[in-house]
Amino acid sequence: MSQSKLEQARPIYFPAFDWLRLVLAMTVALSHDGVPMDHNAPNFAVQIFFALSGWLIGGILFDSTKQDLPRFYFNRATRIWAPYYFSVALIFAVSLLKEPIDWHWIEYLFYDLTYTHNWFISPRILEIQKDLPLGGSTNHFWSLSVEEQFYLFAPLLILFFARGRSIVLWAAIAALAVTFKTFYGAIALGVFAVALQRRYGDWHLNNNIALSLGIALIGCVAAYLVKPEAYLYIAPIASVLIVLLLARPGTKSTLGAFVGGISYPLYLNHWIGIFAAHEIVEMVGFIGRWSGVWLGAILNIGVASVLFLAIDEQVRKRRNRLFSTGRGWAAALTAYGLVVLGAVGGIAIFITRL
């Protein structure tokens, strides 16, 4: 059987992204451990993750055809689902040791299982924080819902819409997403950058343009310092500028690939190291606030490394062997079905509250 275009393509490797992912995941983890930083720092880290996703996944879709869709959906499902659902199961299982099952527990599990956290939990987070499992240890799952929704709807636009790869289309989507302060602005800007790259080549690698991008990034920082209330407009733009500045092709290294790989389980499961460090600090007595933070960070790196090798790497090694067109379509139907189920269920729950 001949390989699809997606299977034949050898994606360009960006070494700086490996280290960027680790920095972003650690930023979120440290912020949740109470390390002093700008209150928007963890959200900005996620915004950069989104811009990365728009650039990388958008690039894959721009190079794909409709025949590649089963492989695309299968790759996304195997990459995202196994580590994610393990993390969901672990958090909700551990929460049972401290909290009884109630309606809140069931409802929030439902949203996390159906990738609709950002629609039905995030808008009420200040109101329901105390009811979330383990004091809100699932808060960061909203970003996985955004990612999954992007994986489902971007292929429809790019591969089935006549102007799906148009610069104008993605400029308009990005403008609307940023203007209305949605979760999708940085992702759409990442895809917009891909559209520009496909039209004009590697324009971002030109030294003069790279300098201009750097100056624009400094301008974004200055704008935020002057008007922090404009953060939700500034962050998506700054995020895609960072991605473009670091999107320089290079050689894959073993260490870089490893630190980039552990960033996903680190992001998902950083509550483990934080909780464990706090327990150890309580057992041995006061050892200093920063000692506890460093201990939590070390434990998180260790846990993420183990989970990466035990889950992510095992799935990756078997992915090609397990793939079939039927399984690809099954993954697609399952993904769409989950989000539709979550949306319908969430709306029904919302109506019952009226």
Side-chain angles (χ1 to χ4, degrees), residues 335-348:
Y336 283 107
L338 284 171
V339 173
V340 170
L341 175 64
V344 172
I347 292 171

Side-chain angles (χ1 to χ4, degrees), residues 30 44 67 72 95 102 146-147 164-165 181 186 190 205-206 210 219 228 258 265 269 290-291 313 334 336:
L30 292 173
F44 185 52
Q67 289 69 37
F72 173 81
S95 73
D102 58 11
V146 173
E147 288 279 355
R165 294 174 173 85
K181 297 187 286 189
L205 299 181
N206 179 278
F258 182 77
N269 302 288
W290 288 106
S291 297
E313 272 293 275
T334 300
Y336 283 107

Side-chain angles (χ1 to χ4, degrees), residues 244-306:
L244 286 170
L245 285 167
L246 295 178
R248 296 183 170 269
T251 304
K252 182 177 182 178
S253 72
T254 302
L255 178 59
F258 182 77
V259 300
I262 68 171
S263 64
Y264 183 41
L266 172 61
Y267 179 77
L268 288 175
N269 302 288
H270 60 268
W271 62 275
I272 298 176
I274 294 173
F275 278 29
H278 287 184
E279 290 294 328
I280 292 171
V281 168
E282 285 189 14
M283 288 172 55
V284 302
F286 183 74
I287 59 174
R289 166 68 180 135
W290 288 106
S291 297
V293 169
W294 280 110
L295 177 60
I298 293 169
L299 291 174
N300 273 326
I301 293 291
V303 169
S305 299
V306 171

Side-chain angles (χ1 to χ4, degrees), residues 131-143:
D131 298 321
L132 292 174
L134 299 182
S137 294
T138 62
N139 281 354
H140 58 303
F141 286 169
W142 71 271
S143 60

Side-chain angles (χ1 to χ4, degrees), residues 108-139:
Y108 302 148
L109 176 61
F110 174 73
Y111 295 141
D112 286 331
L113 291 177
T114 58
Y115 296 100
T116 51
H117 186 121
N118 61 314
W119 292 341
F120 300 108
I121 294 182
S122 296
R124 301 188 293 137
I125 191 61
L126 295 179
E127 169 193 346
I128 64 175
Q129 173 81 33
K130 66 181 185 305
D131 298 321
L132 292 174
L134 299 182
S137 294
T138 62
N139 281 354

